[in-house]
Amino acid sequence: MKNLKEILSELSRGCVDILPEGELEKKLLIAKRENRPLRVKLGIDASGPYIHLGFTIPLRKLKKFQEFGHTAVLIFGDFTGKIGDPTGKNKTRPQLSDEEIKENLKNYKEQVFKILDPQKTEIRLNGEWSDKLSPQDIIKLSSKMTVARMLERDYFEQRYKNGVPISLHEFLYPLFQAYDSVAVKADIELGGTDQKFNLLLGREIQEEYGLPGQVVMTLPLLEGIDGTRKMSKSYDNYVGITESPTQIFGKLMSIPDNLITKYMLLTTDIPEDRIKEFEKEMKEGKNPKDYKVILAKTIVQMYYTKEESDRCEEEFKRIFKEKGLPDNIPLIKVSKEDKNVKITNFLKKYKLTESTSEASRIIKGRGLRINNVVIDDFNFQYTPQKGDIIQVGKKKFAKVD
RNA sequence: GGAGAGAUUCCCGAGCGGUCAAAGGGGGCAGACUGUAAAUCUGCUGGCUGAUGUCUUCGUAGGUUCGAAUCCUACUCUCUCCA
């Protein structure tokens, strides 16, 4: 049995804030005294439940709580999803239909239980209670918040300054989210650092409704594989946990060096002191690539198997060190008419490029190889032969069948 | 309700009635160098095409004009100020 100190240190690994300070310890003590599990809340957007490495950070934290006997309460934002969240400027997200929500929920569950223990997980749809709120309830809820405080938030402040429209209902979002905490009687809520305000609001609203306020734990946002913007599907810089081992491995190998240890700390169970050693070794001049391999292998192993991770490593070596070819080159079936076709048309026809213009651009840039021979003439007449290897840029391969 | 400002290509942002497929930056793609890293350098960055050109693009719909992103009208949306 671990003592309280050890538990606290494991639970706070990677956390940015635990607010109010010291409260987590109190909650843990209360749970022990009352012999009941803590209810740890995490919200997810119903519109795109595609779980990438960034989102595994809070999920893994939740798992940690489960290991210590507590209950994970996942809030699936079907209510908010139905209203349609206007994120950007001109894009008002389409409202989700009931079927879409159902479908998303199904996919979500599948992925989430790759990490969480289903026995200790409670999945709730916030429509359950939000749908039932009357206008009076909503007014009462809104009266707990002032416009000035809303506008203080970075997110709104910037948009307001830049003249980007803010719809009124966007102000309601944090309130509904906060109300979720009331509804599920959360003891703790997890979220990214960008959620700090919302999470704290949850605490306040709980107190307004006569409940003990939740403890807020914020976790860092993980930069995507481009190393700058936060990991997100819309930036196409994500590593999805349901992607193929090869993809996961490859993507992780392309993250910038300075993120290696951050990824380790947040997305794996590699012990913190080991990570510190790695850091030191890299500073002393060891090749960061080797540590990246450790990271990539660890993660592939977490979501697949040890064998897969070994295979990925070997394949990676073969492709990039020895400039060999990947294992699974997609085959393209060419038809008999494909004789002496213009190469640009060919590339477009088989979706190797978006357009013929893109094809000629790549050809001009010396990015096209057939059987390892650079083709730099965009008027090249191509007659595909079975077994030809076509390489477009660094990453796209195809084999003629 | 009133007054003003604005909507440009993936994003930000220039843009005299013709020489504008539209400056510049960001992002992206490709190449060199590497460790499929970072940094740096180079090229490209609407579609189709025999590269010559051609078609579609500047909030939407009309109009003026030989010719419009640029002028006019209406509409839609946004912002700011006043009440």
Side-chain angles (χ1 to χ4, degrees):
Chain A
M1 197 64 187
K2 287 181 176 156
N3 67 32
L4 185 63
K5 212 175 158 195
E6 287 167 328
I7 294 175
L8 267 176
S9 116
E10 279 193 45
L11 288 176
S12 51
R13 164 169 169 161
C15 282
V16 178
D17 282 309
I18 297 178
L19 300 165
E21 225 165 310
E23 285 267 322
L24 177 60
E25 187 174 353
K26 279 188 204 155
K27 289 272 186 194
L28 288 168
L29 285 171
I30 291 170
K32 199 172 174 193
R33 193 173 53 223
E34 295 177 1
N35 195 24
R36 66 167 181 104
L38 291 174
R39 298 173 61 72
V40 189
K41 174 192 167 200
L42 176 69
I44 183 174
D45 173 12
S47 63
Y50 183 83
I51 298 183
H52 55 61
L53 235 36
F55 195 66
T56 67
I57 299 173
L59 280 178
R60 283 166 40 74
K61 185 61 72 191
L62 223 40
K63 167 76 176 167
K64 209 33 136 193
F65 274 99
Q66 290 184 327
E67 283 170 18
F68 293 122
H70 303 292
T71 305
V73 183
L74 287 169
I75 310 284
F76 190 73
D78 69 323
F79 175 76
T80 33
K82 264 187 214 157
I83 297 172
D85 176 15
T87 25
K89 302 129 221 215
N90 28 26
K91 272 180 264 167
T92 303
R93 263 196 220 162
Q95 300 192 1
L96 295 171
S97 68
D98 286 344
E99 291 82 69
E100 284 171 304
I101 287 174
K102 227 169 134 189
E103 181 64 26
N104 286 350
L105 179 61
K106 202 183 111 214
N107 295 336
Y108 174 48
K109 278 185 183 163
E110 232 163 71
Q111 299 175 72
V112 127
F113 290 131
K114 276 177 182 277
I115 295 175
L116 293 180
D117 173 358
Q119 299 299 317
K120 293 177 189 157
T121 304
E122 194 177 306
I123 297 185
R124 303 288 291 274
L125 310 189
N126 63 3
E128 256 178 72
W129 49 85
S130 298
D131 276 336
K132 293 191 188 116
L133 292 175
S134 69
Q136 282 93 327
D137 293 332
I138 295 169
I139 290 167
K140 182 183 163 200
L141 188 59
S142 342
S143 69
K144 314 284 187 204
M145 178 46 46
T146 65
V147 171
R149 281 195 58 203
M150 268 312 178
L151 281 174
E152 256 171 42
R153 302 180 58 199
D154 235 36
Y155 175 68
F156 284 134
E157 198 188 344
Q158 296 223 342
R159 280 170 60 186
Y160 193 65
K161 247 194 243 154
N162 296 336
V164 179
I166 300 170
S167 303
L168 211 49
H169 76 288
E170 293 185 69
F171 279 2
L172 292 175
Y173 268 71
L175 284 167
F176 279 116
Q177 190 179 328
Y179 187 75
D180 290 346
S181 290
V182 174
V184 303
K185 297 192 166 63
D187 291 300
I188 296 172
E189 178 162 8
L190 307 181
T193 46
D194 58 339
Q195 291 287 312
K196 191 159 147 184
F197 175 91
N198 291 349
L199 305 186
L200 282 169
L201 185 59
R203 180 183 164 82
E204 268 178 60
I205 297 292
Q206 279 179 316
E207 286 170 351
E208 291 277 353
Y209 281 80
L211 294 168
Q214 63 187 8
V215 171
V216 166
M217 293 176 76
T218 61
L219 294 153
L221 296 178
L222 188 68
E223 288 85 349
I225 57 175
D226 58 358
T228 47
R229 291 176 298 182
K230 80 167 188 183
M231 186 177 285
S232 152
K233 198 169 183 202
S234 42
Y235 298 144
D236 198 25
N237 62 359
Y238 64 95
V239 182
I241 61 170
T242 51
E243 291 190 88
S244 74
T246 315
Q247 272 173 313
I248 294 179
F249 195 94
K251 283 185 177 184
L252 287 168
M253 287 306 288
S254 73
I255 64 168
D257 292 353
N258 56 1
L259 285 178
I260 298 174
T261 50
K262 183 169 181 185
Y263 269 64
M264 284 180 171
L265 179 70
L266 295 170
T267 67
T268 75
D269 284 321
I270 299 173
E272 283 188 71
D273 38 358
R274 286 276 287 158
I275 298 175
K276 288 221 175 76
E277 279 170 38
F278 291 159
E279 213 154 46
K280 197 170 143 228
E281 287 166 21
M282 277 188 265
K283 232 178 230 160
E284 285 163 358
K286 289 252 175 75
N287 190 339
K289 189 200 69 177
D290 300 328
Y291 298 91
K292 234 191 267 185
V293 172
I294 296 174
L295 170 71
K297 282 186 75 175
T298 308
I299 290 177
V300 170
Q301 203 173 324
M302 280 165 63
Y303 298 103
Y304 291 92
T305 58
K306 172 100 175 61
E307 289 71 50
E308 278 295 336
S309 76
D310 291 338
R311 208 209 79 230
C312 289
E313 183 183 10
E314 270 159 45
E315 179 177 300
F316 182 83
K317 268 191 203 152
R318 193 172 68 249
I319 300 170
F320 296 107
K321 243 188 169 158
E322 291 144 38
K323 300 226 156 133
L325 297 166
D327 273 345
N328 304 310
I329 304 180
L331 290 176
I332 50 176
K333 283 204 167 52
V334 296
S335 63
K336 291 221 168 96
E337 294 105 67
D338 289 321
K339 260 188 213 161
N340 289 318
V341 280
K342 236 186 114 177
I343 188 65
T344 47
N345 288 331
F346 181 84
L347 293 176
K348 188 195 162 196
K349 183 172 174 190
Y350 293 101
K351 304 240 159 61
L352 291 165
T353 56
E354 289 273 329
S355 64
T356 56
S357 306
E358 190 198 348
S360 39
R361 257 180 254 138
I362 288 174
I363 291 169
K364 269 189 228 168
R366 300 180 62 81
L368 173 72
R369 286 156 201 254
I370 295 176
N371 294 327
N372 224 8
V373 178
V374 175
I375 307 291
D376 56 4
D377 172 17
F378 44 73
N379 283 318
F380 180 71
Q381 304 279 312
Y382 179 51
T383 302
Q385 305 283 326
K386 196 175 159 72
D388 278 358
I389 302 288
I390 301 166
Q391 188 180 355
V392 183
K394 262 181 276 200
K395 290 164 202 162
K396 260 188 233 165
F397 290 88
K399 188 174 187 176
V400 175
D401 189 21

